[in-house]
Amino acid sequence: MSPAPEARTWAEALDALEVDTAEVERLLLVIEADPDVVPDPSATWTAPAEPLPAELAPRAAALLTRHQQAVERVTAAMTAIRRQQRRSTQLASRLDQRPEGRPVYVDRAV
């Protein structure tokens, strides 16, 4: 006997969310390894309109926990990026306000 249509719909939706979460986790590893990399996430997920079948509740709860942990890591990464941008902007502003202007370096063969 095949699963009820609602269970099949939710199982497919949870599969998609699991793939999206894995992609976010992979992108976070890339960002953590090389902060200069700008990832291009394209994942979007929509819950089915049908109620979640009881037999899929444990899987959905585990996936929700994993997803929330990924969201916390994304939030931390975004906060770090904002902090770095603010410091870069402050440094650039201070360099522009120096009486002698920005330092200039000229390479020339001797």
Side-chain angles (χ1 to χ4, degrees):
M1 184 167 138
S2 64
E6 300 87 22
R8 197 170 339 112
T9 301
W10 266 100
E12 291 169 1
L14 291 175
D15 288 344
L17 181 58
E18 193 161 20
V19 168
D20 289 353
T21 302
E23 177 65 7
V24 168
E25 291 168 340
R26 186 191 67 75
L27 290 173
L28 282 165
L29 290 174
V30 169
I31 292 170
E32 290 165 357
D34 184 357
D36 293 330
V37 172
V38 179
D40 185 20
S42 58
T44 59
W45 184 80
T46 304
E50 299 87 10
L52 176 67
E55 66 268 16
L56 293 176
R59 179 179 176 205
L63 190 51
L64 175 62
T65 299
R66 184 174 158 199
H67 190 265
Q68 288 172 331
Q69 290 169 344
V71 166
E72 289 172 8
R73 289 176 60 200
V74 167
T75 302
M78 290 173 59
T79 300
I81 290 168
R82 284 192 205 109
R83 189 177 310 116
Q84 290 172 350
Q85 285 177 324
R86 190 170 40 252
R87 288 179 183 155
S88 295
T89 302
Q90 290 170 347
L91 177 60
S93 176
R94 283 196 308 251
L95 288 174
D96 286 341
Q97 294 174 2
R98 292 172 48 174
E100 64 275 1
R102 288 180 174 246
V104 176
Y105 298 96
V106 178
D107 280 338
R108 68 174 209 194
V110 182

